[in-house]
Amino acid sequence: MSSCRHLAIIMDGNGRWAKAQGKPRTMGHLAGADNVRNIAIAANEAGVKYLTLYAFSTENWKRSEEEVGYLMKLPAYLFQKYMREFMERGFRIRTIGELDRLPAATAKVLRDAEEESKDNPGLNLIIAINYGSRREILLAARKYAEDVRDGRANDLEEDGFSSYLMTDGIPDVDFLIRTSGEQRISNYLLWQIAYAELMFVPESWPEFTPEVLNRCLDAYAHRDRRFGGVHES
Ligand code: IPE
Ligand code: IPE
Ligand code: MG
């Protein structure tokens, strides 16, 4: 039985969930934001130390201006409503993704939450926003090339390369869950999921309750992670 230190979730299906109830897609995103709080608490209670949530991908800019604008306001909604509780629970808010390409107000809300919680000892709640894994790997390669050029580095190993990624200091993903039935990775944490266990669940993100999470974590705990080795029975 292995415990899940780093859980990553692709929070998918908000739009379809709302449409199925005759509501606009944005109402799905709002319900999804409230669910971030519920699942962060449940993951923390289950012993997860790092929870990385895919909130907005580098591809999501293709959506309508209205939908993108709505999504960009959700960090302010989330932290106004729940930051006090996150602080009380000792959560450390972190981000991955290019914040400087977000609307200034959105970036500020995220940076303020990171700053306020930076000394907290508890769950690392990592929001992936304007995040794309290919972009992350490209930026890492560029930074490494600069370091070689300037004489700061010259022999790269896997661990060393990891430190150039936006997830520097964060352990590899143990378990990746995607909601809403889609079975793809959508440019998420490509390097970091090299040996993650994967699970695709039919529930949309607003329907992904702590009970569903706990079922997933139970299933994870029974997986045999071999990392290329052999377990004698
Ligand atoms: C996930 O839900 C949230 C984001 C990608 C921002 P979607 O908005 O992708 O919902 P569906 O997949 O269209 O139902
Ligand atoms: C992935 O969901 C991105 C996020 C959950 C933020 P999408 O709904 O954007 O993914 P695709 O386009 O269906 O692959
Ligand atoms: Mg989707």
Side-chain angles (χ1 to χ4, degrees), residues 185-204:
I185 300 300
S186 301
N187 203 13
Y188 196 39
L189 300 170
L190 299 177
W191 174 278
Q192 298 87 342
I193 62 168
Y195 253 106
E197 295 295 321
L198 308 179
M199 188 172 285
F200 302 94
V201 299
E203 289 85 358
S204 63

Side-chain angles (χ1 to χ4, degrees), residues 1-52:
M1 297 258 283
S2 38
S3 75
C4 177
R5 186 150 70 125
H6 186 173
L7 171 65
I9 305 182
I10 302 175
M11 308 185 289
D12 199 12
N14 294 348
R16 278 165 286 163
W17 176 83
K19 281 284 161 202
Q21 301 173 66
K23 296 182 194 159
R25 292 178 55 83
T26 49
M27 286 304 100
H29 297 315
L30 186 64
D34 286 315
N35 204 34
V36 165
R37 177 251 177 205
N38 297 338
I39 294 302
I41 290 170
N44 184 45
E45 283 171 358
V48 169
K49 302 290 177 231
Y50 298 84
L51 174 64
T52 306

Side-chain angles (χ1 to χ4, degrees), residues 75-76 78-80 82-84 86-87 90-95 99 105-120 123 125 127:
L78 181 75
F79 294 124
Q80 263 158 34
Y82 300 120
M83 189 64 184
R84 213 235 277 257
F86 293 163
M87 290 299 292
F91 293 1
R92 178 175 171 193
I93 312 300
R94 303 168 74 158
T95 60
L99 262 53
T106 309
K108 181 173 188 323
V109 161
L110 290 160
R111 289 202 176 98
D112 287 351
E114 286 182 288
E115 177 62 27
E116 187 181 348
S117 64
K118 69 177 193 305
D119 297 322
N120 285 352
L123 174 77
L125 175 56
I127 310 289

Side-chain angles (χ1 to χ4, degrees), residues 10-12 54-57 60 63 178 182 184 186:
I10 302 175
M11 308 185 289
D12 199 12
Y54 208 0
F56 192 90
S57 74
N60 287 145
R63 298 187 180 197
R178 183 172 188 145
E182 307 298 346
R184 55 178 170 262
S186 301

